[in-house]
Structure formats: structure tokens, C-alpha cells
Amino acid sequence: MAAMDLFGRRWALRILWELRAGPLGARALLARCEGLSSSVLYQRLRELASSGLIAPSADGYELTRLGTALRHALRPLDEWAITWAQEQEQHNDQEPTET
């Protein structure tokens, strides 16, 4: 359950997602996560680092071996989310508009 508690914290999964393509610094993460405050970012970075999912690097922060394994485990969820969003869009397009 500790993993679910960590992933359930606001911005944790988003930060991991943004690091999927390679290391990013704090400024780049803040720019990619609109609405994320710097204090929350640094708190999440500390939590994710202490859990072994990310590590500081010369270029900012990067996924560890465990973080990369998690990225692969989340791929089916990402695929499901894409399908769900498409169905939501189709459903919204089919709703009659009021005149």
C-alpha cells in the first residue's frame, strides 16, 4: 500500500511521467506541470528519490532502474487512458446541443 500512497499524492505520477524521456531539471518540470508549485515539486522529488524511483543527476533528476520499470508497468494504463479519452470525446460529440 505504500506505493499506492506515494502514487496517490498529487503530482507524483505526473513528475514520473515527465521524466520518462530523460533527465529534467526543476525549472523544466515546473514548466511542464502547469499549476505545480515549487514547494510541492521539491517535496515530491524528495519522496520519489527516497523511494528509489528517481535520482539526482548532472541534468536534474532522472528515473532509476526501478523508476524505468514502473514506466513500463504504467504503459497499459496510458493506453487505457487514451482509449477512454477518445470514447469521452465521441460521447460528447454525440450529445445534442441546446438551441
Side-chain angles (χ1 to χ4, degrees):
M1 274 321 242
M4 294 305 282
D5 290 339
L6 176 63
F7 301 146
R9 292 188 180 135
R10 190 167 187 184
W11 298 106
L13 284 175
R14 177 66 184 270
I15 292 166
L16 292 169
W17 176 255
E18 294 300 338
L19 293 174
R20 74 192 181 282
L24 291 173
R27 284 187 182 167
L29 285 166
L30 284 171
R32 291 176 183 222
C33 300
E34 187 177 331
L36 172 61
S37 70
S38 60
S39 62
V40 171
L41 171 63
Y42 287 110
Q43 182 178 3
R44 292 300 171 266
L45 291 172
R46 282 191 303 273
E47 293 166 351
L48 293 167
S50 70
S51 69
L53 297 172
I54 67 170
S57 74
D59 298 320
Y61 294 88
E62 64 186 354
L63 295 177
T64 62
R65 182 183 53 79
L66 282 173
T68 300
L70 175 63
R71 186 187 82 196
H72 295 303
L74 291 175
R75 187 169 290 138
L77 179 60
D78 182 47
E79 292 169 1
W80 175 87
I82 291 168
T83 301
W84 174 79
Q86 291 169 344
E87 289 185 13
Q88 291 295 308
E89 188 175 303
Q90 289 174 356
H91 175 73
N92 290 339
D93 288 345
Q94 293 174 359
E95 288 184 357
T97 57
E98 293 184 33
T99 57

